[in-house]
């Protein structure tokens, strides 16, 4: 079997396709991935698909988990984890990287490895680094296993906000002002170790002052407040709204807990608009858009507002027909610009001047019961179970390898 999909064997034709739902992972969005997986497991059509839930622990172990969506939800503000539902604290799941062998094997120390059967498609509902950023997608390409969602390049571009914005700019899509602070710059600012040696002395102070001045100069041009965020994280993790220079150090430290590279963005005054894109047989289509109204209990639409306090958006967004058509057009253009596949949620600002500015795309948006992506498609006439089915079928149609 080559790295591209081959025709199904007689055995495959006699059984239902087996879908491995892979979730959890090593990123700070581990818990939200577990919640998303619970919603997918609850709604996937079991008469049409066999399902194999595989959780990845925070330390990277692939574990067999209970097929129990109720234990994968946020309960009393407590976040779930793979460790809570793993069937063993020692056992591990292995996916072969031989494209001629899609069999999944489970093993425990001192026991004979157990074959779990072939996997026909992987539904990776991981968020953040080590799953949504092209790393898992690369493994699946090596294994020759079809998978839901964007490929290696689009996943990497969609995860790294700096290069996402660079791609959008090159395609003529409107992007707001931003600044990147790379790891070495801030390590020199704070006197942390760089390349194994402690940086000190007047040279460090000068470099630190220059890097800090970049942010202050950026604010002088675009105004305060600024948003400081990890360059490669999602779910509003690690984002701080900074009103003046005194808050920079703390905000950068918080962002760097999630990613050593950070992004600084100016405040865009306007409305937050989101739009979903889904791959159909004839190409990508955009959903009705949604609006995230101001969250009175929070400074902005942060993690607490999204997942703990369950702030909800307006679906459909109260836009004019022209505005709706424009944001849907831009969402599909962003999907195509980043070479996405399967699905994308595109986030925009509708500025006070009446222009749409794209903030970012999410190549594996949340599928929790309150997530905006499935809500937008529900309003567009695609139910949650149908949405999952369309994504799986699109993955089964698509070859692995170069395409």
């Amino acid at each position: 079997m080559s790295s591209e999909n081959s025709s199904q064997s007689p055995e495959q034709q006699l059984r239902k396709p087996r879908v491995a739902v892979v979730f959890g992972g090593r990123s700070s969005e581990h818990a939200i991935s577990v919640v998303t997986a619970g919603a997918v497991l609850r709604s996937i059509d079991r008469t049409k698909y066999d399902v194999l839930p595989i959780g990845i622990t925070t330390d990277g172990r692939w574990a067999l988990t209970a097929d129990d969506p109720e234990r994968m939800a946020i309960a009393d503000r407590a976040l779930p984890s793979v460790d809570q539902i793993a069937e063993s604290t020692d056992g591990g799941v292995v996916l072969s990287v031989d494209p001629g062998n899609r069999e999944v094997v489970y093993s425990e120390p001192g026991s004979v490895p157990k074959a779990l059967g072939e996997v026909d498609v992987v539904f990776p509902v991981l968020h953040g680094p080590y799953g949504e950023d092209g790393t898992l997608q690369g493994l699946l390409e090596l294994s020759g296993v079809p998978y839901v969602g964007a490929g290696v390049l689009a996943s990497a571009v969609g995860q790294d906000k700096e290069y996402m914005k660079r791609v959008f700019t090159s395609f003529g899509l409107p992007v707001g002002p931003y600044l990147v602070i790379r790891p070495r710059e801030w390590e020199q600012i704070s006197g942390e170790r760089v390349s194994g040696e402690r940086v000190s002395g007047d040279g460090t102070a000068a470099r630190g002052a220059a890097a800090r001045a970049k942010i202050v100069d950026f604010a002088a041009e675009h105004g305060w407040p600024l948003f400081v965020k990890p360059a490669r994280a999602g779910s509003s993790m690690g984002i701080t709204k900074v009103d003046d220079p005194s808050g920079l150090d703390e905000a950068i430290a918080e962002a760097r807990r999630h990613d050593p590279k950070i992004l600084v963005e100016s405040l865009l005054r306007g409305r937050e608009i989101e739009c979903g894109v889904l791959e159909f047989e004839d190409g990508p289509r955009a959903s009705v858009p949604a609006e995230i109204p101001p969250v009175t209990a929070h400074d902005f639409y942060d993690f607490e507002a999204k997942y703990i306090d369950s702030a909800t958006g307006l679906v459909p967004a109260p836009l004019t027909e022209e505005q709706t058509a424009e944001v849907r057009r831009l969402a599909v253009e962003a999907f195509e610009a980043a070479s996405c596949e399967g699905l994308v949620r595109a986030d925009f600002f509708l500025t006070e001047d009446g222009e749409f500015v794209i903030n970012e795309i999410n190549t594996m948006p949340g599928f929790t019961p309150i997530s905006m992506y499935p809500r937008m498609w529900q309003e567009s006439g695609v139910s949650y179970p149908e949405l999952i089915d369309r994504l799986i079928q699109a993955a089964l149609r698509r070859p692995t390898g170069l395409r």
Side-chain angles (χ1 to χ4, degrees):
M1 184 183 294
S2 70
S3 62
E4 295 191 356
N5 296 345
S6 63
S7 58
Q8 288 190 328
S9 67
E11 187 271 335
Q12 288 174 311
Q13 295 172 2
L14 292 174
R15 62 170 174 80
K16 295 180 288 186
R18 182 172 290 114
V19 181
V21 178
V22 180
F23 60 96
R26 294 164 55 191
S27 83
S28 55
E29 297 174 78
H30 177 98
I32 298 308
S33 174
V34 176
V35 175
T36 292
V40 171
L41 291 171
R42 186 180 295 110
S43 301
I44 195 169
D45 186 351
R46 303 304 180 104
T47 67
K48 191 171 183 177
Y49 302 107
D50 284 331
V51 180
L52 177 66
I54 300 174
I56 302 177
T57 64
T58 53
D59 62 2
R61 179 173 63 93
W62 288 45
L64 273 185
T65 67
D67 188 356
D68 188 354
E70 301 308 316
R71 296 172 58 195
M72 302 166 75
I74 298 174
D76 298 325
R77 303 177 73 88
L79 300 174
S81 73
V82 168
D83 285 309
Q84 295 169 356
I85 56 174
E87 294 189 352
S88 166
T89 58
D90 299 316
V93 174
V94 177
L95 177 66
S96 171
V97 293
D98 175 2
N101 177 15
R102 294 182 181 176
E103 192 161 69
V104 174
V105 174
Y106 176 76
S107 63
E108 290 185 338
S111 300
V112 176
K114 179 174 66 174
L116 301 178
E118 288 192 349
V119 166
D120 298 296
V121 62
V122 170
F123 199 137
V125 291
L126 295 108
H127 303 308
Y130 313 111
E132 190 183 353
D133 60 349
T135 50
L136 177 64
Q137 290 74 16
L139 172 64
L140 297 173
E141 292 285 354
L142 286 173
S143 302
V145 179
Y147 54 93
V148 169
V152 175
L153 173 65
S155 296
V157 168
Q159 187 65 43
D160 191 314
K161 295 177 177 62
E162 175 193 359
Y163 289 97
M164 179 197 309
K165 291 175 186 291
R166 290 182 183 274
V167 168
F168 290 158
T169 300
S170 72
F171 277 83
L173 291 164
V175 172
Y178 70 97
L179 177 70
V180 177
I181 299 294
R182 301 185 186 284
R184 183 176 295 273
E185 295 178 86
W186 192 252
E187 287 162 0
Q188 290 169 339
I189 290 171
S190 63
E192 296 174 14
R193 291 185 182 273
V194 179
S195 300
E197 297 181 2
R198 179 164 293 280
V199 178
S200 60
D202 294 339
T204 300
R207 289 193 297 270
R212 198 175 211 288
K214 284 173 57 177
I215 304 175
V216 176
D217 288 347
F218 179 80
E221 181 179 358
H222 300 289
W224 299 91
L226 302 176
F227 287 92
V228 177
K229 60 178 65 175
R232 295 163 292 194
S235 297
S236 296
M237 290 281 192
I239 300 178
T240 305
K241 182 181 177 184
V242 182
D243 294 313
D244 57 60
S246 66
L248 276 177
D249 286 6
E250 185 177 350
I252 291 172
E254 171 60 19
R256 280 174 54 82
R257 288 200 311 111
H258 303 272
D259 186 349
K261 182 169 78 167
I262 65 169
L263 203 72
V264 180
E265 295 177 336
S266 65
L267 172 67
L268 290 177
R269 301 187 185 279
R271 300 160 62 186
E272 292 191 49
I273 306 296
E274 298 184 349
C275 189
V277 180
L278 178 64
E279 181 182 342
F280 285 74
E281 289 82 356
D282 59 352
R285 302 181 198 172
S287 70
V288 300
E291 179 171 4
I292 308 299
V295 185
T296 56
H298 299 264
D299 245 1
F300 59 97
Y301 194 46
D302 61 6
F303 179 86
E304 291 276 329
K306 283 182 180 179
Y307 298 108
I308 304 300
D309 295 335
S310 301
T312 57
L314 304 174
V315 187
L319 301 171
T320 66
E321 288 187 13
E322 292 78 11
Q323 289 172 329
T324 297
E326 176 67 1
V327 75
R328 294 177 75 180
R329 180 186 70 81
L330 289 171
V332 172
E333 283 196 12
F335 181 98
E336 298 282 34
S339 297
C340 294
E341 295 167 300
L343 72 163
V344 147
R345 192 194 70 231
D347 300 344
F348 298 86
F349 291 104
L350 177 56
T351 68
E352 294 173 341
D353 297 331
E355 300 296 324
F356 283 104
V357 174
I358 187 164
N359 183 37
E360 62 184 61
I361 58 171
N362 193 316
T363 57
M364 184 50 70
F367 273 75
T368 70
I370 60 172
S371 294
M372 297 305 297
Y373 185 84
R375 287 186 60 201
M376 288 187 286
W377 279 108
Q378 178 77 41
E379 189 67 25
S380 304
V382 180
S383 68
Y384 194 107
E386 182 186 352
L387 180 61
I388 294 171
D389 183 61
R390 283 192 172 277
L391 290 169
I392 294 171
Q393 289 300 316
L396 288 169
R397 289 194 303 269
R398 186 188 314 130
T400 55
L402 297 177
R403 53 189 183 273

